[in-house]
Amino acid sequence: MSYAILRFEKRKGGPASAIEKHHERQKEHYGSNPDIDRERTELNHHLIQPRLQYYGEIQTRIEKAQRENPQYKVRKDSVKFIDTIVTATPEYLAKLPPEEVRRYFEHALDFLKAEVGEENIFSAVVHMDERNPHMHLCFVPLTRDKRLSAKEIMDGRDKLVEWQDKFHDHMAAQFPGLDRGQAAAVTKRKHIPTWLYKQAHRLTKEMTRIQKDIEKIGTFNANKQKKSPESTSEMVSAGQCLRDQAASL
């Protein structure tokens, strides 16, 4: 089955700089994310190019909203922006030609423009240099009457289900074959954190390789290969632990 994927993460102002460095590929080395292939980074592209640094983009919009509606105050602990990721099941995108992959993200952007206001989106960049193409989109959660309120825009079980229903309908209209997954609000499961998903994926690939090596072990060289620095049992246990942890979320 193939799914259109839309995820939100609420952020306060502090992480803006670190997120910008990742989204905009401003670092020379990404030790925490070995999935990045720097030879493919040139394939990344913006659908919305930020004019300022992320923090400046955020503050500019908030200050403008306060001028237009000065009676509403912004608390220090308010959510300042939403870090959004848009993608699809890897196998689905892998089958699409490059121009259709681009159109997929452009179509998703049209949806988000309509839902959160084009003027509130300050960056939308498509990453083609990781295992699965995806778009990072950041927006300031301002309501129509110029209040900063992430809660009003996306909080609550019914609201999140509505978001996912509308997103699926929008994407499936142009990209047939996309299924509507069972809502996390219904299953009560949390989304698997990105770091856990990637780590589990890498271990799964490593376990597959090791299992193939085991099948090749013959009677005469079994002891020699079992003394390899990589411990098969430890790798299998680690992978199983991660899968169990992911399944419990």
Side-chain angles (χ1 to χ4, degrees):
M1 300 180 77
S2 300
Y3 303 101
I5 298 170
L6 172 69
R7 292 185 180 177
F8 300 112
E9 189 162 356
K10 293 184 284 188
R11 302 282 193 176
K12 298 182 181 180
S17 178
I19 290 173
E20 178 182 4
K21 288 179 180 178
H22 172 77
H23 290 3
E24 306 298 326
R25 292 296 190 254
Q26 295 175 350
K27 297 168 63 177
E28 293 186 5
H29 303 287
Y30 293 86
S32 61
N33 191 349
D35 290 338
I36 295 175
D37 181 355
R38 295 310 299 265
E39 293 184 358
R40 291 177 54 82
T41 297
E42 63 181 18
L43 300 177
N44 296 351
H45 55 275
H46 283 87
L47 299 182
I48 293 180
Q49 177 82 48
R51 296 168 297 176
L52 307 171
Q53 292 184 330
Y54 279 19
Y55 191 79
E57 294 278 7
I58 295 164
Q59 288 302 112
T60 296
R61 285 166 172 77
I62 292 175
E63 290 169 5
K64 183 175 183 292
Q66 286 182 302
R67 289 194 299 271
E68 295 179 14
N69 198 345
Q71 69 207 57
Y72 290 105
K73 305 299 181 182
V74 177
R75 300 193 316 271
K76 290 183 178 181
D77 62 344
S78 294
V79 171
K80 299 291 182 64
F81 70 107
I82 308 297
D83 187 12
T84 310
I85 188 167
V86 174
T87 187
T89 306
E91 293 75 16
Y92 183 83
L93 290 180
K95 294 178 181 178
L96 297 180
E99 62 272 15
E100 282 296 282
V101 173
R102 185 181 182 96
R103 193 170 72 86
Y104 179 90
F105 294 114
E106 290 174 342
H107 193 57
L109 176 60
D110 289 340
F111 171 80
L112 287 160
K113 284 179 178 179
E115 293 297 318
V116 305
E118 183 175 359
E119 68 280 3
N120 296 325
I121 301 172
F122 59 86
S123 178
V125 58
V126 177
H127 284 174
M128 301 295 294
D129 59 356
E130 294 187 55
R131 188 180 64 88
N132 192 34
H134 56 275
M135 176 171 69
H136 290 287
L137 181 145
C138 294
F139 69 92
V140 179
L142 290 166
T143 63
R144 295 186 184 278
D145 59 351
K146 305 303 178 183
R147 290 178 294 111
L148 185 67
S149 179
K151 181 177 182 180
E152 184 169 321
I153 292 173
M154 62 184 49
D155 274 7
R157 169 179 169 175
D158 292 342
K159 191 70 176 177
L160 291 175
V161 170
E162 180 184 355
W163 265 105
Q164 296 297 334
D165 285 341
K166 292 170 70 175
F167 181 65
H168 169 262
D169 292 345
H170 177 84
M171 298 305 296
Q174 292 292 319
F175 293 88
L178 289 170
D179 301 293
R180 170 63 169 99
Q182 193 171 9
V186 175
T187 64
K188 305 298 184 182
R189 287 188 174 185
K190 298 179 181 179
H191 286 306
I192 298 173
T194 302
W195 69 268
L196 180 56
Y197 172 80
K198 289 184 176 182
Q199 193 168 352
H201 175 72
R202 287 195 293 270
L203 278 176
T204 298
K205 289 174 63 178
E206 189 68 12
M207 287 169 59
T208 300
R209 183 188 65 79
I210 291 173
Q211 287 170 350
K212 289 181 179 179
D213 289 343
I214 291 175
E215 292 173 359
K216 296 178 182 178
I217 295 176
T219 304
F220 297 103
N221 63 355
N223 290 333
K224 179 180 179 181
Q225 293 199 35
K226 283 182 180 179
K227 293 179 181 179
S228 170
E230 296 177 335
S231 171
T232 300
S233 61
E234 290 180 4
M235 185 68 70
V236 171
S237 297
Q240 184 63 51
C241 179
L242 276 174
R243 288 201 302 277
D244 292 345
Q245 186 176 354
S248 68
L249 293 175

